[in-house]
Amino acid sequence: MAIEIIGTGKAVPPRRVTNDDLARTLDTGDEWIRSHTGIGARHIADERTACSDLALEAAKEALTGGDGREEAALEAAKTLDIIVLATATADYYGCPSTACVVQEKLGARQAAAMDVTAGCTGFIYALETAAGLLAISKTRKRALVIGSELLSRVANWEDRSTCVLFGDGAGAVVIEKTEAPQEGPGRRGLLRTILGADGSGAEHLIIRRGGTRNPFKAGETLELPVHLEMNGQAVYNFAVKAFTDTCTRLMEEDGLGIDDISLIIPHQANARIVQAAGKRLGIPEEKFFLNIEEYANTSSASIPIALDELNRGGRLKRGDLILTIAFGGGLTYGGNLILW
Ligand code: ACO
């Protein structure tokens, strides 16, 4: 039995905000943002758009190969057994899950649906959750895995040290349980996954308001902070170590060297994190796929967006070995070894 990715999709809002656009209202500039992060622009959703809207768009693409036919997507959705959606910026706080909103909009009536919260590692966690739910079942065959985020809604637009980093977007994959082997000759699909967490770093990336620890009180207005706070230096240090450790373990546990790997798809948080990890590992820059310049950090959406760009751009060939590596709020980290 193998778990294979059979479709990819993405959705980004049409409104593109460049560094120069931000510099009109914020004490920042293109030179600082590019040199410290590699970011050139981000896409920001309009007020009417919620997490599930981007998720739905990406899901439809993943279900149909992007042919744009609504009926084909809805027809394909009927074959789904599970929907797992990773997000830190859900439509609603707590209940219902955004996955349930997407399930209803897709008409995927036979699919179970749930959200996963693991910060920017969310997609890796969601993929492993969905794969596990397929693997242990005799009847479930196909799952939709989505990462969708509207980080613009939780960014503090007056804090230049955080807001310049984030963007909105969604990415999705359809995975299927197939007869191909997972080990040995002819193996395919999702070969190996690492998941990890270090809750001692919870405070380094945190939205303090609105939960049961610090609920809204009667009379409060939403102008009070509901923002994402970040200890940039602590996250940076954690990220570089988590990145190098996960990359090394994924290769070592499978007896692989860097020459066996076609491409590494990192979470697009900061190009400098990728460069620092690459340097430590002695991996040349061209092994890493980066699209952070266009989308900034879209948290759990960044890896499935990258997968879709590569897939649609014809850059993933059957037999390619791919590493995905992510790290983020929680703190969490993880990665996959995938044979395309
Ligand atoms: N424009 C101009 N100047 C700025 C900006 C900005 N947008 N932001 C900060 N500065 C200034 C600071 O005020 C500071 O000025 P000072 O020296 O006069 O005090 C100076 O730049 C340096 O600030 P630092 O915070 O030390 O900058 P640093 O080089 O550490 O870079 C950064 C900051 C980019 C946030 C870095 O710490 C980082 O990348 N951390 C990891 C962040 C990350 O990856 N987060 C997401 C991961 S998890 C997830 O994806 C949700």
Side-chain angles (χ1 to χ4, degrees):
M1 181 219 68
I3 303 290
E4 299 189 52
I5 294 175
I6 60 163
T8 63
K10 78 167 198 305
V12 289
R15 186 171 156 233
R16 184 173 185 270
V17 178
T18 65
N19 295 339
D20 287 335
D21 292 334
L22 285 185
R24 288 196 193 102
T25 54
L26 199 65
D27 182 16
T28 189
D30 184 59
E31 200 282 324
W32 192 97
I33 301 173
R34 275 184 195 275
S35 61
H36 285 72
T37 68
I39 295 167
R42 69 284 298 141
H43 291 246
I44 305 289
D46 64 32
E47 280 178 7
R48 294 182 308 277
T49 302
C51 179
S52 65
D53 298 316
L54 291 182
L56 182 70
E57 225 180 293
K60 285 180 180 169
E61 273 203 13
L63 284 161
T64 59
D67 75 355
R69 283 184 304 128
E70 175 88 2
E71 321 83 75
L74 299 184
E75 202 52 39
K78 290 185 186 144
T79 67
L80 293 172
D81 300 300
I82 311 162
I83 299 171
V84 184
L85 186 147
T87 189
T89 49
D91 280 21
Y92 303 102
Y93 164 65
C95 193
S97 71
T98 304
C100 280
V101 179
V102 172
Q103 186 246 25
E104 162 62 14
K105 288 180 180 169
L106 279 174
R109 284 297 160 88
Q110 71 171 14
M114 64 185 281
D115 285 0
V116 164
T117 302
C120 305
T121 320
F123 180 76
I124 310 286
Y125 271 71
L127 186 59
E128 183 69 351
T129 302
L133 288 169
L134 293 183
I136 59 168
S137 164
K138 284 199 173 70
T139 53
R140 295 182 212 116
K141 195 168 160 34
R142 194 171 282 180
L144 172 65
V145 184
I146 310 170
S148 183
E149 304 281 5
L150 265 76
L151 290 160
S152 63
R153 296 283 155 77
V154 294
N156 178 355
W157 289 101
E158 288 170 7
D159 175 11
R160 66 179 183 172
S161 67
T162 55
C163 72
V164 302
L165 302 174
F166 300 114
D168 300 336
V173 300
V174 178
I175 60 172
E176 191 169 271
K177 186 165 61 179
T178 69
E179 297 306 318
Q182 201 171 23
E183 298 288 341
R187 67 182 184 159
R188 292 254 288 272
L190 191 55
L191 302 183
R192 202 170 286 276
T193 298
I194 287 172
L195 299 178
D198 177 5
S200 71
E203 295 263 331
H204 295 325
L205 258 171
I206 190 165
I207 300 173
R208 292 181 197 278
R209 300 306 305 270
T212 53
R213 174 70 54 204
N214 201 2
F216 291 115
K217 298 187 180 73
E220 279 188 333
T221 71
L222 285 179
E223 279 133 43
L224 288 163
V226 283
H227 301 136
L228 182 68
E229 296 168 38
M230 182 179 76
N231 178 344
Q233 197 56 52
V235 173
Y236 185 95
N237 294 338
F238 170 82
V240 174
K241 181 165 180 354
F243 194 121
T244 46
D245 289 354
T246 304
C247 197
T248 306
R249 269 181 64 196
L250 277 171
M251 287 194 290
E252 274 179 10
E253 286 176 11
D254 215 72
L256 299 166
I258 190 59
D259 291 341
D260 300 310
I261 305 296
S262 310
L263 203 58
I264 301 174
I265 305 173
H267 165 47
Q268 314 279 318
N270 183 335
R272 276 170 57 198
I273 292 173
V274 178
Q275 284 151 6
K279 210 165 167 192
R280 274 195 200 179
L281 291 160
I283 298 176
E285 273 189 33
E286 55 272 18
K287 280 276 176 186
F288 297 99
F289 176 73
L290 283 175
N291 61 7
I292 190 172
E293 187 182 8
E294 179 59 26
Y295 303 118
N297 178 350
T298 57
S299 190
S300 66
S302 86
I303 286 178
I305 287 175
L307 273 173
D308 184 60
E309 284 203 342
L310 288 163
N311 186 27
R312 259 166 235 278
R315 286 189 57 192
L316 297 179
K317 296 184 298 299
R318 187 165 283 288
D320 280 352
L321 264 176
I322 300 157
L323 287 182
T324 64
I325 314 260
F327 45 83
L331 297 171
T332 56
Y333 60 91
N336 311 110
L337 175 66
I338 301 169
L339 188 58
W340 198 255

